[in-house]
Amino acid sequence: MTEPDIALRRCFQATFPELPAEAIETASVDTVEAWDSLRMVTLMSVLEEELDVQIPPEDLPELRSFAAVREYLTQKGRLS
Amino acid sequence: MKLIEALQIVGRPTPDDAVELEVSLVCGCTPLHLETFLTAELRERHPQARVHLSSGLFDDLIGNLDRADQSSADAVAVVVEWADIDPRLGLRRAGGWRMGDLTDIVDLSEVYLAQLGSALTRIAQSKPVICCLPTLALPPLFPQRPDQSGAQELQLHNNVASLAAELGKQASIRICSAQVLDELSPLLARRDVPMELSTGFPYSLTHASALARQLAVLIGNPVPLKGLITDLDDTLWAGTLGEVGVENVTWDLDSRSQRHALYQQFLASLASTGTLLAVASKNDAGVVAQAFKRADLLLSKDAMFPVVVHWGPKSSSVRHILETWNIGPEAVALVDDSQTEIAEVQSRFPDIQGLRFPTDDAELWSLLRRLRGLFGKSTATVEDALRAASVRSASEFREFTQGSKSPSDDFLARAEGTVEFSSSPAHKLRAFDLLNKTNQFNLNGDRIGEAAFNDAVRGPGTELITASYQDRYGPLGTIVALLVRPDGTALAIDAWVMSCRAFSRRIEYHCLQYLFERFDATEIVVHYRSTDRNGPVSEFLEAVLAAAPSNGPVRITAECFHERAPGLVHHVLEAEQ
């Protein structure tokens, strides 16, 4: 696992401390009750700070799961 | 602090026996990351506390203030931005930036700020208020080029500054320093426009972090250090006294030693607000005495006590100073140009703060700022001005009694002491200070927050009583604070502290006598608990009861007290309410 991948997981863990580590990769808006708009904004801010990426507000609606976030960051060149 | 770090701190479990710390965060914007950072900062500063942060409704700062006023919060942190004063000064409403609007904005700002000031003053009657006035840049709504401040812009700033100056006079309101925030958070990097427009949270992460840090410092309001011990050569003055002579040590611009003058001036400032100053120097005592006679010294020799000068280890000087002051090393800082000397002292007193006096001017600013950070206090009291003199008189008293805990009746009578009891709210600030700083004569070691103290003082049935003392050796100021509750023919003492400078004068006996008479009580119940440091209370209670006290309610009957109390020879007064 690369350092950015580890950082991505760390961001999710910090934003959703109630989420067990093994559930992070399958986490989504539909499976995590605490994943509301406030947590979404927090997650995006943490990702921006940790991975040095800008996430425009208009991109947020598509980032509804760990997988979607990972794919988005890969396209932005932040993950391998 | 980074956001991920703050989230991790907030997510940590709290101890089972954690003390609750409730803070109302009042702002007009979405609190979002500010709330996270502030919670994290408070958790770091208060590791034994369970921190609860409550915030209010979006875009309703005045309403949120009312809600905070009604709450049981221990402190209220208020963050005001320009958009709260007038929505047209923010970015989420397009209410107009025409010339006619500007006059209206300035005029209405006075009305809003007056309303804000009233609300904050009302809240501060019961809870400490920490207030941060606008930190974001004004949008470019004024007609002048950005490089120029026009009259209306200046009037807006003036209106806010006037409010801050008035609020800053109140003991329970602490205004965040704009200067410190400027140092921590560059103005142009404070605003996150996309975040403000999409969520209503206007701050960048770095600014939110800096703001939260400052709020947390002022919420915690750390207890300042009590004493500063200074070296002399190349610290108080430039040069080595024994080598160059009294007239050739310097502290002035021409000699390129102005930083020593600024340091002397700073020490004088500390002394004027009650910080104890002492000297620990490896030098010739006679030559030092001559140097202190120089008329151009910026610090009075009377402000420094004791002055310990010899060629032995500096740690022994520090030990003597701590004993004279009767305070612990954790409440003291040592300033010396020699890191070796600081290390030697810290090897004996690891809790003492050691600060190196700089060898060049560039480092002076950070030394003075650090010292102000260690010794700064929100407000100064009358007792602060008396402190140095009262320490000196307490030391002289101990010399005369030869350190006896039980000086004779005759000696005490000749001291011509007067104890004055008061229930006046004028001593509330000093009483709060005593209750939270006194260790040795402290009934149970309990500390009390400002909001809880205000509630206790204002609550039905509870009375705050203070006592001041003076004798032929000088005034000690207010040295006793009690929180008492009449309970039928009994009287409960929930809190009782006495400054260590007042020991050996039987003032504690006078307190009980006064309470028995004032409340016509047949019994006094003190809520005692043994701590590491309140041996003097244990000894006192044992003397009164003829038995060691147990933790919990300790009953002292009037009969028992009068049987066992020694002669009480001081003149006793009761201040008018």
Side-chain angles (χ1 to χ4, degrees):
Chain A
M1 202 181 290
T2 64
E3 187 52 48
D5 263 306
I6 295 171
L8 173 60
R9 279 159 179 75
R10 203 163 51 228
C11 292
F12 265 82
Q13 208 130 39
T15 307
F16 301 102
E18 63 279 333
L19 204 58
E22 59 273 17
I24 286 178
E25 294 213 13
T26 56
S28 75
V29 168
D30 299 318
T31 62
V32 179
E33 195 177 341
W35 194 325
D36 56 14
S37 57
L38 180 62
R39 294 284 189 115
M40 173 72 90
V41 172
T42 301
L43 175 63
M44 295 308 114
S45 295
V46 172
L47 288 170
E48 286 184 337
E49 192 175 41
E50 292 301 301
L51 295 171
D52 192 24
V53 64
Q54 293 295 312
I55 304 176
E58 56 267 24
D59 291 352
L60 292 189
E62 68 188 74
L63 303 176
R64 296 171 56 84
S65 67
F66 175 88
V69 171
R70 195 179 185 292
E71 177 60 29
Y72 178 85
L73 293 173
T74 303
Q75 285 177 11
K76 286 243 173 188
R78 287 295 182 272
L79 298 177
S80 55
Chain B
M1 187 185 289
K2 296 175 77 178
L3 182 59
I4 195 169
E5 193 185 336
L7 289 167
Q8 288 163 345
I9 292 168
V10 171
R12 278 189 221 144
T14 50
D16 290 336
D17 59 348
V19 174
E20 306 291 321
L21 174 60
E22 288 190 38
V23 175
S24 280
L25 173 60
V26 176
C27 51
C29 67
T30 308
L32 201 61
H33 306 320
L34 178 61
E35 190 169 4
T36 304
F37 280 120
L38 181 55
T39 304
E41 289 281 355
L42 290 172
R43 289 283 308 264
E44 289 281 89
R45 281 168 173 72
H46 307 275
Q48 299 308 312
R50 181 173 291 109
V51 176
H52 294 285
L53 223 64
S54 58
S55 54
L57 302 179
F58 176 69
D59 208 20
D60 185 16
L61 186 123
I62 295 294
N64 290 336
L65 283 172
D66 288 338
R67 280 179 275 275
D69 194 14
Q70 304 302 317
S71 74
S72 59
D74 297 301
V76 178
V78 184
V79 179
V80 184
E81 285 298 343
W82 292 113
D84 299 307
I85 296 172
D86 192 305
R88 291 169 288 187
L89 296 175
L91 302 183
R92 288 178 61 86
R93 306 254 193 98
W97 288 350
R98 293 176 292 261
M99 285 298 295
D101 298 320
L102 303 185
T103 307
D104 191 49
I105 288 170
V106 174
D107 290 345
L108 286 178
S109 73
E110 286 190 41
V111 176
Y112 181 89
L113 289 169
Q115 190 183 8
L116 178 66
S118 297
L120 293 176
T121 299
R122 192 174 61 248
I123 297 173
Q125 301 302 309
S126 61
K127 308 171 184 42
V129 172
I130 292 80
C131 182
C132 188
L133 293 165
T135 66
L136 297 175
L138 282 163
L141 71 166
F142 301 104
Q144 291 79 15
R145 291 189 185 84
D147 293 291
Q148 179 182 354
S149 291
Q152 286 159 325
E153 181 186 348
L154 290 167
Q155 187 62 51
L156 261 184
H157 283 292
N158 185 59
N159 291 347
V160 170
S162 297
L163 173 67
E166 280 307 304
L167 293 175
K169 294 175 187 172
Q170 298 181 47
S172 290
I173 298 180
R174 296 168 210 140
I175 305 294
C176 291
S177 165
Q179 180 171 309
V180 166
L181 206 52
D182 287 347
E183 292 168 9
L184 297 175
S185 178
L187 183 63
L188 280 183
R190 293 180 181 181
R191 189 176 227 126
D192 186 331
V193 174
M195 182 68 85
E196 183 173 4
L197 294 178
S198 62
T199 69
F201 182 70
Y203 302 132
S204 65
L205 290 182
T206 50
H207 185 58
S209 173
L211 188 47
R213 177 209 153 273
Q214 197 173 27
L215 291 171
V217 168
L218 296 182
I219 288 168
N221 202 22
V223 176
L225 297 187
K226 294 179 182 175
L228 185 149
I229 301 172
T230 183
D231 177 43
L232 293 178
D233 291 337
D234 289 322
T235 303
L236 197 68
W237 49 62
T240 302
L241 192 61
E243 289 175 7
V244 304
V246 169
E247 293 308 318
N248 293 317
V249 290
T250 63
W251 51 87
D252 62 282
L253 275 173
D254 290 340
S255 308
R256 297 178 189 263
S257 56
Q258 176 74 355
R259 65 180 177 277
H260 299 276
L262 293 170
Y263 176 62
Q264 288 183 21
Q265 180 172 262
F266 185 82
L267 293 189
S269 163
L270 288 185
S272 71
T273 55
T275 299
L276 300 172
L277 298 180
V279 168
S281 174
K282 286 181 174 174
N283 234 309
D284 182 287
V287 180
V288 167
Q290 289 302 311
F292 278 138
K293 286 179 181 170
R294 277 180 59 166
D296 58 338
L297 205 59
L298 297 170
L299 173 65
S300 162
K301 182 185 176 296
D302 290 339
M304 294 178 281
F305 178 79
V307 175
V308 185
V309 180
H310 57 69
W311 296 106
K314 198 156 277 195
S315 56
S316 71
S317 304
V318 170
R319 180 175 48 78
H320 174 75
I321 292 167
L322 295 177
E323 286 171 0
T324 303
W325 285 346
N326 198 12
I327 61 179
E330 71 286 349
V332 173
L334 168 70
V335 180
D336 198 305
D337 68 299
S338 165
Q339 194 58 50
T340 306
E341 295 287 8
I342 293 172
E344 190 270 323
V345 169
Q346 287 180 320
S347 70
R348 289 277 305 277
F349 302 101
D351 293 333
I352 210 167
Q353 298 262 355
L355 296 103
R356 185 152 178 230
F357 191 85
T359 53
D360 72 74
D361 294 341
E363 296 165 24
L364 175 70
W365 186 270
S366 65
L367 170 69
L368 297 185
R369 278 285 302 271
R370 177 126 184 256
L371 286 174
R372 187 60 81 186
L374 292 171
F375 289 97
K377 50 183 71 168
S378 292
T379 47
T381 64
V382 166
E383 277 70 28
D384 290 329
L386 292 175
R387 186 159 293 119
S390 71
V391 165
R392 194 188 298 266
S393 76
S395 175
E396 288 168 0
F397 184 90
R398 278 199 298 277
E399 276 181 38
F400 279 114
T401 62
Q402 295 172 324
S404 167
K405 289 182 185 177
S406 307
S408 68
D409 290 7
D410 182 52
F411 174 81
L412 286 176
R414 280 190 284 114
E416 296 171 2
T418 300
V419 184
E420 182 172 5
F421 293 95
S422 173
S423 301
S424 168
H427 302 293
K428 204 173 83 163
L429 194 61
R430 172 58 177 162
F432 178 75
D433 218 30
L434 279 170
L435 285 164
N436 282 292
K437 289 184 188 169
T438 307
N439 294 307
Q440 296 179 56
F441 198 101
N442 185 319
L443 193 61
N444 46 42
D446 289 344
R447 300 306 191 198
I448 185 167
E450 285 178 72
F453 175 71
N454 288 331
D455 286 344
V457 168
R458 294 185 321 173
T462 304
E463 188 170 336
L464 172 67
I465 295 174
T466 58
S468 62
Y469 175 84
Q470 64 178 6
D471 60 25
R472 65 187 301 163
Y473 302 99
L476 298 184
T478 300
I479 35 77
V480 169
L482 297 122
L483 282 172
V484 304
R485 267 181 306 115
D487 185 11
T489 57
L491 181 76
I493 301 180
D494 295 323
W496 186 4
V497 294
M498 184 171 76
S499 169
C500 56
R501 296 200 301 280
F503 287 175
S504 304
R505 292 168 171 82
R506 301 181 189 167
I507 295 171
E508 60 275 30
Y509 287 96
H510 275 281
C511 289
L512 285 183
Q513 167 137 316
Y514 169 77
L515 291 174
F516 274 121
E517 289 174 2
R518 157 98 192 273
F519 293 93
D520 199 21
T522 57
E523 183 181 77
I524 288 178
V525 181
V526 298
H527 290 272
Y528 166 77
R529 188 176 70 249
S530 170
T531 70
D532 289 342
R533 298 178 70 175
N534 70 351
V537 173
S538 308
E539 290 169 18
F540 164 66
L541 291 175
E542 186 168 351
V544 171
L545 299 168
S550 304
N551 287 339
V554 173
R555 298 178 185 281
I556 306 169
T557 64
E559 188 184 348
C560 171
F561 173 74
H562 291 301
E563 219 175 87
R564 299 192 57 81
L568 301 182
V569 299
H570 299 318
H571 188 47
V572 176
L573 298 175
E574 188 170 15
E576 284 182 25
Q577 301 301 315

